[in-house]
Amino acid sequence: MAARRGKPAGATGPVVRRTLHLLDAFSPERTALTLTELARLAGLPPSTAYRMLGDLVDWGALERGEDGAYRVGLRLWELGALAPRGLGLRERALPTMEDLSAVTRENVQLAVREGTEVVFVERIAGSGAVPVRTRVGGRFALTATGVGLVLLAHAPTEVQDEVLGGPIPRFTDLTATDPAVLRRMLAEARSCGFAVSDRQVTDDALSVAAPVHDQRGEVVAAVSLVVRHGSAGPHALSALVRAGARAISRAIGEP
């Protein structure tokens, strides 16, 4: 799922806003863009976009290839890696995630909620594990993935109402899109301490996720195992995932 897109800023908008719209034109589906494409997507005259792109290239936010197309530069990656919710959480969680991956040889994912979407901050792909549609730094619907259901279950009421009151994306024939069904799933996730996404994102994957708590007991993240459907039962996986979530929660609480 691509990141949310705002309205084009237009040629008369503030410089920072116009710069952000240029950067926001990039997505997992659009990793290389020409000057013409960037100007159109950002709602800018080509001459204005050209000047701003030159500054972004000079700073290292973007790189321009021999083909003339622009791509995200390493400077942005270095800056993004400093985000405290991603960096500190990832460092504390990684040892436990590696243990889960070593034991199961399956996909292990760590995610946080950003507004009405999931953002994946770390993922370990197991050897021979089922392919997944998620990526580190990528966003996804809260209603479809195991981690998303956990985070939505513990989100404020107004966030739940906004998500369940708006369009709910469907990825497979089994994706839950009925708000009433989803509310029951969220209540069950709160009650049993884990959430299950069974073939809701792809036709062959089962995800089981559990909440990660901070020192105050607030849910700040979710960790999941994603396996091939039929290879293991949700309740068997839930014991491992919940144990992993508790270990990450303890690590977060350590000084």
Side-chain angles (χ1 to χ4, degrees), residues 35-182:
L35 168 62
T36 301
E37 290 169 331
L38 282 162
R40 175 176 55 82
L41 290 167
L44 295 170
S47 58
T48 301
Y50 179 76
R51 290 194 300 272
M52 297 178 71
L53 289 169
D55 290 338
L56 289 169
V57 169
D58 289 343
W59 186 76
L62 297 179
E63 297 174 357
R64 190 179 185 191
E66 293 182 359
D67 58 357
Y70 294 87
R71 296 168 176 83
V72 173
L74 287 177
R75 188 75 179 270
L76 276 185
W77 179 83
E78 293 170 350
L79 192 63
L82 299 176
R85 275 211 295 166
L87 179 63
L89 176 62
R90 176 186 175 277
E91 290 180 341
R92 299 292 178 101
L94 199 53
T96 297
M97 295 179 66
E98 290 172 340
D99 288 343
L100 280 173
S101 178
V103 168
T104 64
R105 297 184 179 179
E106 301 286 0
N107 297 300
V108 185
Q109 301 187 134
L110 182 71
V112 298
R113 180 177 64 84
E114 178 71 18
T116 58
E117 294 176 304
V118 168
V119 177
F120 290 87
V121 297
E122 185 56 271
R123 181 171 74 88
I124 300 177
S127 56
V130 63
V132 296
R133 294 181 58 175
T134 55
R135 64 179 182 85
V136 175
R139 293 173 179 262
F140 216 84
L142 283 168
T143 51
T145 62
V147 288
L149 289 168
V150 164
L151 294 167
L152 184 58
H154 295 277
T157 301
E158 56 268 25
V159 174
Q160 295 181 8
D161 291 343
E162 181 179 355
V163 171
L164 299 180
I168 299 174
R170 179 184 295 276
F171 302 97
T172 73
D173 291 340
L174 295 178
T175 303
T177 58
D178 185 331
V181 171
L182 283 164

Side-chain angles (χ1 to χ4, degrees), residues 10 75 125 187 208 231:
R75 188 75 179 270
V208 180
S231 64

